Amino acid sequence: MNTNAPVPSLEEARVWVLRMQTKLHQWATDAPKRRFHDLYNLVYHPCTLEVAWERVRANRGARSAGVDGVRPRAIGPDASRWLAEVRVDLKTQQFRPDPVRERRIPKPGTIKVRRLGIPTARDRVVQAALKLVLEPIFEAEFQPCSYGFRPKRRAQDAIAEIHHFAMHSYEWVCEADIEACFDAIDHTALMDRVRNRIEDKRVLILLKAFLKAGILSEEGVNRETTTGTPQGGILSPLLANIALGVLDEHFAARWQALGPSWRRAAIRKRGGATIRLVRYADDFVILVAGTRAHADAVQPEAAAVLAPMGLRLSAAKTRVCHIEEGFDFLGFHIQRRRKRGTSRQAIYTYPSAKALSAIKRRVRSLTRREQHRTLADLLRRLNPALRGWCTYFQHGVSKRTFSYVDDFAFWRVIGWLRKRHAGLPWKTLRRRYLPGWQPMERGATMFRPTAVTVSRYRYRGANIPTPWTSSVVMGTT
């Protein structure tokens, strides 16, 4: 075996991987029933591993170590040799995943915790390589109604789709959440869905090994993983989307069975209902153009579809409401209200109260006096938080909220300055740190949410290309 194979440059590797993914995606699209074999050699190809390593190293999680204690960012000049060893282990089928290191993270505003699983550096690279090979194949069959953890799709697309259908008589909403989704997925049912597309036994064995790798808890106790895919792994979102595809496919088939738009309109006129699903990872809403009874019937239907995958709906987070009552989804509050100054009704998407509380809590934590030595240090930490929050919500009805957040953050910074420089007269403080009432120091200027332009996000429907094709299909109501 030639372990000294030439290492491709990162640019060469990216081009090779893109071509490989484009071919796989095209084959999967052209033949929906095709099962792929001989994929394993693509997983351990030097170009695949090079691109996988680049993504692992660039990820924010590269600062964290798994059970091996190795942080990806700490692997320096020896990365090529290290990758070669990983490749040899894969090629000889000697690679064995390690247990993931469990880390409990408190959920904001609650006493509950989220369990994250941190794989080792080697496992992260192999998972990333598997994802590079498998994602183009499964993307060919994923439904347009799914938006979470998919390339070129984002939360704003899901909100735009809800806005679109709510404007077209879909007035009843079943908002739902899957309880402990990543922890409860049935391995057998998941692998059966993977086998519908993947025939290569070596890839299947490697996938199952990751599912069964186990967890090392914070108390140092090893636990077996009989269900689920640890939240935090690179491969976990893809596997979750494969499992939750049963829900997408069920409602897509139901929609297709209704026929063309004129027939759907006739069904609604006769007192029937049409239903649309919008899903982002394990959060989803089912929009119903019909009656409250139709909406109530959808919840047990969704629960029955998910049951074979070992999943169940969270009773606390699942409810039926009318669009005029409004509901929260992905940080937005969506509600139909009368347009100011007119008698017309419109669908509004605001930052939710929970999202507003989250950014206020973040601003408070960043503007505590002991956190920073200088105003410049404070602004370099505060600005990314404000900018990221505003960028996420700039496509909603957010102008007044941005003004409120701007005012709140500004006076928190002023309060920090007055406490930090308690001995300075106000005129001196203002002249030194607030020229033109704009907090700044040593080239760092406070980001102002009021400067963010608010605009409606363009609804793309099913007109969202993948990274490997530009072929599109327009959505309908």
Side-chain angles (χ1 to χ4, degrees), residues 35-95:
R35 297 180 69 209
F36 288 79
H37 61 277
D38 201 21
L39 294 175
Y40 193 71
N41 62 319
L42 300 178
V43 175
Y44 65 74
H45 192 281
C47 290
T48 308
L49 292 176
E50 187 69 28
V51 173
W53 165 240
E54 187 260 342
R55 293 190 178 184
V56 168
R57 183 176 50 188
N59 190 281
R60 189 170 62 177
R63 297 174 293 183
S64 302
V67 296
D68 60 349
V70 177
R71 291 180 293 110
R73 286 191 181 174
I75 301 174
D78 293 333
S80 297
R81 182 187 298 274
W82 182 78
L83 273 182
E85 293 173 357
V86 173
R87 181 171 184 263
V88 170
D89 287 348
L90 285 171
K91 194 170 184 179
T92 59
Q93 299 184 54
Q94 300 297 314
F95 180 85

Side-chain angles (χ1 to χ4, degrees), residues 66-67 97-101 118-120 123 213-216 222:
V67 296
D98 293 309
V100 298
R101 180 171 70 87
I118 304 175
T120 63
D123 290 355
I215 298 173
L216 180 65
N222 276 302

